[in-house]
């Protein structure tokens, strides 16, 4: 029988059974399956399934469809608690990852990708909602940084094992996928059994919420999804196709990213708390403009594999600052809007994601550099939007043009 407990009463539980501990456990579980899948993906589809740029674009379009449909979470949480849905989604992600190598055909890879993506995107939607409900506003930037570092730490262990053992033990894709997905499933099941059901102080709306005053948050989410797709789909693919990176070399690159994230992510959380969302997001977007322009130069001018690797690391580092989007919304939101708006935001984030990979995959076949130049333009638009965030956002002061509710009532 499930045990229900409020967040206030949960303070009396042992630390390892409190809500924050569960958030950390989930932060450890998800990246193991997802990043094991991602680390091997480009090599797997090129070496085993003979994918080209158009094929990889189609795969990532399929992968993003569940993100586009994340608004369906609103209907599910009418009958299933968010905490339960998040853990079940982790199980689905893990199971789909386990069987990825069993079906090395276009149809098989697309089917398993769709299933793992449902697990990933529904987990991420619910996880974001739980983070913003369970963390205090004053603690959120710092704790989100530590959660990001925890996820990077878990992935670091997985990547170290892949890098050290891939060639030494002649590992197969199936073996690595089975282990990576299986660990995620095991952690999710333990979390289901070991933790009570936590009750947030504010009951969440169980319907779609679209508020005019959240328009800037929606716009930033849309642009974030568009830019992220270019990084996710084509940056790693370039490293394999253009520079011939092998599995252990790609994993080494990911490894560098993880070490930097573990060290820097908590500092990023503190930076958001100190400098505010406007300044940190502005810094992120200017950095991404420079990185994407340089990516185009790498491919077009052939600046070399080392330059490409450095840009890849910088790219990944700048994207970590996106946690400021979460804290911006937490500050302007009605507490009851958090769950439904998390689902709506994920759908908005994936509107471009569903259509961009295929179209840009075709553009890639004609001019890979043009794909990255387009991404730089998108980052520039995001910078302009970020400059509309006030220094201290609150409900009623969502943009620099808004009038706080207290002043409007005078």
């Amino acid at each position: 029988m499930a045990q229900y407990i409020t967040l206030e009463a949960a303070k009396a539980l042992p630390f390892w059974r409190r809500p924050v501990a569960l958030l950390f456990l989930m932060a450890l579980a998800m990246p193991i399956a997802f990043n094991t899948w991602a680390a091997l993906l480009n090599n797997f589809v090129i070496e085993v399934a003979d994918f080209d740029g158009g094929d990889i674009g189609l795969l990532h379009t399929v992968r993003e469809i569940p993100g586009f449909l994340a608004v369906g979470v609103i209907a599910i949480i009418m009958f299933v608690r968010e905490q339960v849905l998040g853990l079940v989604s982790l199980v689905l992600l893990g199971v789909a990852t386990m069987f990825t190598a069993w079906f090395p055909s276009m149809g098989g890879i697309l089917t398993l990708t769709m299933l793992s993506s449902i697990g990933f995107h529904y987990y991420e939607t619910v996880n974001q909602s739980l983070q913003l409900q369970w963390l205090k506003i004053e603690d959120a930037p710092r704790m989100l940084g530590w959660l990001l570092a925890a996820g990077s730490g878990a992935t670091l262990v997985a990547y170290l094992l892949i890098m050290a053992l891939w060639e030494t033990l002649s590992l197969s894709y199936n073996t690595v996928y089975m282990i990576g997905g299986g660990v995620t499933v095991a952690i999710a099941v333990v979390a289901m059994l070991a933790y009570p059901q936590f009750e947030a102080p504010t009951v969440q709306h169980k319907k779609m919420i679209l508020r005019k005053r959240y328009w800037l948050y929606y716009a930033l989410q849309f642009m974030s999804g568009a830019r992220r797709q270019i990084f996710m789909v084509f940056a790693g693919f370039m490293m394999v196709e253009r520079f011939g990176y092998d599995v252990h070399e790609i994993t080494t690159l990911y490894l560098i990213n993880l070490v930097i994230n573990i060290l820097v992510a908590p500092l990023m959380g503190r930076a958001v708390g100190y400098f505010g969302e406007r300044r940190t997001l502005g810094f992120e977007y200017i950095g991404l403009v420079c990185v994407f322009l340089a990516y185009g130069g790498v491919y077009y001018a052939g600046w070399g594999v080392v330059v490409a690797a450095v840009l890849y690391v910088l790219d990944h580092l700048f994207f970590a600052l996106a946690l400021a989007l979460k804290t911006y919304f937490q500050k302007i939101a009605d507490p009851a809007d958090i769950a439904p708006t998390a689902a709506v935001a994920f759908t908005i984030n994936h509107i471009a994601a569903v259509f961009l990979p295929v179209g840009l995959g075709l553009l890639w076949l004609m001019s890979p550099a043009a794909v990255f130049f387009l991404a730089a333009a998108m980052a520039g638009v995001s910078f302009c939007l970020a400059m509309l965030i006030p220094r201290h956002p609150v409900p009623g002061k969502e943009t620099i043009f808004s009038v706080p509710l207290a002043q409007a009532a005078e």
Side-chain angles (χ1 to χ4, degrees), residues 85-103:
L85 177 58
L87 294 173
V88 170
S89 298
L90 275 181
V91 171
L92 177 58
L93 169 63
V95 170
T97 300
M98 290 172 64
F99 297 113
T100 295
W102 286 31
F103 305 95

Side-chain angles (χ1 to χ4, degrees), residues 118-137:
I118 292 172
F120 171 79
H121 286 100
Y122 276 39
Y123 162 77
E124 280 293 315
T125 302
V126 172
N127 184 52
Q128 176 173 310
S129 173
L130 294 179
Q131 287 175 347
L132 299 185
Q133 291 179 65
W134 292 357
L135 298 176
K136 296 180 180 179
I137 289 179

Side-chain angles (χ1 to χ4, degrees), residues 67-329:
F68 179 70
L69 300 176
V71 70
V73 167
I74 298 172
I76 297 176
I77 63 175
M78 293 177 65
F79 309 99
V80 179
R81 294 177 58 85
E82 287 183 81
Q83 184 176 330
V84 173
L85 177 58
L87 294 173
V88 170
S89 298
L90 275 181
V91 171
L92 177 58
L93 169 63
V95 170
T97 300
M98 290 172 64
F99 297 113
T100 295
W102 286 31
F103 305 95
S105 63
M106 172 66 83
I109 292 173
L110 293 183
T111 299
L112 269 297
T113 296
M114 172 67 80
L115 292 175
S116 67
S117 182
I118 292 172
F120 171 79
H121 286 100
Y122 276 39
Y123 162 77
E124 280 293 315
T125 302
V126 172
N127 184 52
Q128 176 173 310
S129 173
L130 294 179
Q131 287 175 347
L132 299 185
Q133 291 179 65
W134 292 357
L135 298 176
K136 296 180 180 179
I137 289 179
E138 59 271 21
D139 294 335
R142 177 175 54 86
M143 293 306 300
L144 289 174
W146 280 109
L147 288 168
L148 180 59
S152 296
T155 314
L156 174 62
V157 174
Y159 284 174
L160 280 173
L161 292 174
I162 292 174
M163 184 179 69
L165 303 178
W166 179 262
E167 291 188 331
T168 304
L169 300 182
S170 299
L171 294 177
S172 66
Y173 289 109
N174 182 57
T175 299
V176 178
Y177 278 137
M178 289 293 290
I179 294 173
V183 170
T184 294
V185 171
I187 294 175
V189 171
V190 169
M192 288 180 185
L193 300 176
Y195 287 87
Q197 295 292 311
F198 298 113
E199 299 275 7
T202 303
V203 177
Q204 296 296 294
H205 292 305
K206 302 296 194 299
K207 61 182 180 180
M208 183 181 295
I209 299 293
L210 280 172
R211 300 199 188 280
K212 183 179 179 180
R213 66 187 185 90
Y214 297 159
W215 74 265
L216 181 56
Y217 175 67
Y218 299 148
L220 286 166
Q221 283 285 0
F222 176 81
M223 295 307 303
S224 175
R227 293 187 330 275
R228 180 176 51 83
Q229 281 312 298
I230 296 178
F231 171 69
M232 289 286 295
V233 178
F234 297 105
F237 191 76
M238 176 185 72
M239 306 304 287
V240 177
E241 183 189 65
R242 179 73 168 82
F243 298 107
Y245 268 49
D246 202 353
V247 167
H248 68 283
E249 293 171 323
I250 283 288
T251 305
T252 301
L253 197 56
Y254 290 164
L255 189 66
I256 295 171
N257 283 336
L258 289 168
V259 172
I260 294 176
N261 260 359
I262 292 171
L263 298 174
V264 176
L267 299 178
M268 289 182 174
R270 290 182 179 274
V272 173
Y274 183 79
F275 292 107
E277 289 77 12
R278 177 180 177 175
R279 293 179 183 176
T280 33
L281 287 173
F283 177 75
E284 174 196 353
Y285 299 144
I286 287 294
L288 288 174
V289 168
C290 297
V291 167
F292 283 130
L293 288 175
Y295 266 142
V298 166
Y299 209 105
Y300 183 75
W303 291 345
V305 65
V306 175
V307 176
V310 170
L311 291 173
Y312 190 87
V313 172
L314 290 174
D315 196 345
H316 194 272
L317 187 61
F318 280 123
F319 270 110
L321 286 170
L323 65 89
L325 265 182
K326 292 183 180 181
T327 60
Y328 167 62
F329 176 67

